[in-house]
């Protein structure tokens, strides 16, 4: 296949194939795929809004391809399985085992999808990089900000808008994981149905605030205390011993604010 023959449908088919092949289908519901233009002005604005270290798509692609021009960011969103969401709804302090398994092992399947999609594009003669894979995850958690924020990227691609909890509310709700790949392949960008209104789909109902055991969610997005969220997870949930969830040394998550809330699996 020539790169000129690669369409939206081709990319969706590759992502759907990888969703099955990597085992992601045991953790997640089927993915939604969206495209953002690498030239979207939001990517430059993130230098101010997030940090000067946050990569533009061009900077991310140049990490592997110094001479290539970034054209498209492919963003995809995988909702957590119904079983995991139902299990987490009943919890009040720690995630249910299935939710924890998605955080620890479903995340690894999504890393494989990112890498394989980038490899597939490279194989078809175009430059591609999965920026998340080039970042330093430990540093991102220490700083509470990464050099490639999947939520912000998905927002630009028309996937959804930020909720009071900080999660991204999509057409399939807020209980999901996100991933993306930057490429020199030109594909038509999706329209943002919410324009530039970055909280349009959140009703501010406060259900997530009442669910949070750490008291980390406030009455406005600006009041959110991310450190409380992180410390609660580290002190009360992190799996450094096998007698907690049965495996060790992987992030376990929490996500109580993403379940038993009106935006769990739909746009409220
Ligand atoms: C560091 C990190 C954490 C840290 C700190 C997170 C944090 N910043 O709050 C900890 C360990 C605490 C954490 C917790 C969780 N995480 Co986390 N985490 C990340 C990571 C690695 C980086 C996040 C980042 O860089 N954010 C950038 C900062 C600047 O943005 P922010 O914190 O989201 O806050 C922004 C919004 O409020 C918004 N906003 C405010 N004003 C404005 C104005 C405008 C104009 C705009 C556009 C935006 C905006 O901007 C804020 C700051 O700029 C990402 C993976 C990645 N590389 O993207 C996953 C990620 C964000 N985590 C994810 C998940 C699922 C979780 C948990 C549910 C854990 C779990 N799996 O059970 C919780 C949820 C916490 C919450 N309330 O959202 C998902 C989110 C998907 C979703 N549903 O939204 C991600 C994208 C991982 C993935 N691959 O899917 N996480
Ligand atoms: S629970 Fe309510 S306030 Fe919280 S993110 Fe969802 S819609 Fe917004
Ligand atoms: S992930 Fe848990 S601790 Fe963090 S904001 Fe959500 S409910 Fe609170």
């Amino acid at each position: 296949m020539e790169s000129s023959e690669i369409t939206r449908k081709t990319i969706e088919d590759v992502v759907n194939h990888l969703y099955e092949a990597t085992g992601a289908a045991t953790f997640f519901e089927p993915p939604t795929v969206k495209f953002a233009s690498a030239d979207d002005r939001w990517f430059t604005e993130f230098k101010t809004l997030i940090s000067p270290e946050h990569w533009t798509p061009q900077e991310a692609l140049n990490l592997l391809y110094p001479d290539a021009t970034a054209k498209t960011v492919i963003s995809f969103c995988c909702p957590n399985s119904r079983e995991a969401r139902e299990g987490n709804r009943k919890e009040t302090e720690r995630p249910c085992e299935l939710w924890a398994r998605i955080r620890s092992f479903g995340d690894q399947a999504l890393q494989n999808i990112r890498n394989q999609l980038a490899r597939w594009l490279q194989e078809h003669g175009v430059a591609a990089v999965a920026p998340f894979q080039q970042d330093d995850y430990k540093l991102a958690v220490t700083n509470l900000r990464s050099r490639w924020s999947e939520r912000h990227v998905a927002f630009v691609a028309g996937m959804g808008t930020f909720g009071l909890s900080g999660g991204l509310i999509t057409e399939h709700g807020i209980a999901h994981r996100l991933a993306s790949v930057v490429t020199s392949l030109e594909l038509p960008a999706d329209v943002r149905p919410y324009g530039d209104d970055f909280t349009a789909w959140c009703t501010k109902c406060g259900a997530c605030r009442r669910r949070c055991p750490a008291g980390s969610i406030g009455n406005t997005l600006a009041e959110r205390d991310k450190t409380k969220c992180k410390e609660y997870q580290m002190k009360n949930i992190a799996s450094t011993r096998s007698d907690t969830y049965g495996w060790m040394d992987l992030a376990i998550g929490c996500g109580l604010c993403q379940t038993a809330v009106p935006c769990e699996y739909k746009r409220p």
Side-chain angles (χ1 to χ4, degrees):
M1 186 185 291
E2 296 294 317
S3 61
S4 58
E5 294 165 33
I6 301 174
T7 62
R8 165 181 295 277
K9 174 79 171 50
T10 326
I11 300 293
E12 281 172 353
D13 287 350
V14 174
V15 173
N16 279 313
H17 167 75
L18 292 169
Y19 162 75
E20 299 285 345
T22 58
T26 58
F27 300 110
F28 302 103
E29 302 210 349
T32 301
V33 182
K34 300 270 186 196
F35 301 143
S37 164
D39 289 335
D40 197 295
R41 65 173 177 79
W42 274 111
F43 290 118
T44 323
E45 295 201 12
F46 292 158
K47 292 268 183 201
T48 316
L49 189 69
I50 302 175
S51 94
E53 277 79 46
H54 196 270
W55 293 319
T56 61
Q58 184 61 54
E59 285 170 337
L61 193 65
N62 287 157
L63 294 170
L64 296 191
Y65 296 88
D67 301 322
T69 304
K71 295 283 184 192
T72 308
V73 184
I74 303 166
S75 170
F76 55 96
C77 172
C78 292
N80 288 13
S81 71
R82 176 201 283 260
E83 229 182 325
R85 286 185 282 108
E86 284 177 353
N88 228 37
R89 272 182 219 160
K90 297 180 197 131
E91 302 295 335
T92 55
E93 290 175 6
R94 294 154 61 85
C96 71
E97 194 193 308
L98 258 181
W99 186 280
R101 234 192 267 165
I102 290 180
R103 173 61 192 89
S104 298
F105 305 111
D107 181 64
Q108 295 183 8
L110 285 191
Q111 292 189 36
N112 284 327
I113 299 184
R114 286 182 183 91
N115 285 334
Q116 292 294 325
L117 176 62
R119 269 300 281 133
W120 186 90
L121 286 160
Q122 291 158 8
E123 189 82 354
H124 287 80
V126 285
V129 64
F132 175 82
Q133 306 296 134
Q134 306 297 318
D135 197 12
D136 180 338
Y137 175 75
K138 283 201 174 126
L139 194 67
V141 173
T142 306
N143 294 343
L144 296 168
R145 65 191 64 225
S146 59
R147 283 175 292 192
W148 185 254
S149 167
E150 298 284 13
R151 293 202 267 225
H152 287 78
V153 169
F155 161 77
V156 180
M159 194 75 82
T161 78
F162 291 86
L164 201 58
S165 65
L168 198 82
I169 303 176
T170 71
E171 290 289 358
H172 293 287
I174 197 166
H176 58 74
R177 294 192 73 78
L178 297 162
S180 61
V181 164
V182 177
T183 175
S184 59
L185 181 71
E186 188 148 21
L187 292 161
D190 279 283
V191 173
R192 281 190 289 278
Y194 38 79
D196 286 338
D197 184 353
F198 63 95
T199 62
W201 291 356
C202 173
T203 60
K204 329 300 187 266
C205 68
C208 52
R209 177 168 39 76
R210 293 187 288 277
R211 279 280 281 159
C212 175
S216 111
I217 301 167
N219 290 313
T220 62
L221 189 48
E223 279 177 27
R224 203 178 127 225
D225 188 334
K226 298 181 217 172
T227 307
K228 276 191 182 165
C229 169
K230 181 174 82 171
E231 283 178 358
Y232 181 84
Q233 290 187 47
M234 283 177 160
K235 286 188 190 135
N236 301 292
I237 305 175
S239 91
T240 48
R241 294 163 56 92
S242 60
D243 57 4
T244 48
Y245 285 81
W247 61 92
M248 291 168 273
D249 303 331
L250 286 170
I252 291 292
C254 166
L256 298 184
C257 55
Q258 301 188 344
T259 45
V261 290
C263 59
E264 178 192 291
Y265 193 60
K266 63 176 182 350
R267 168 146 75 97

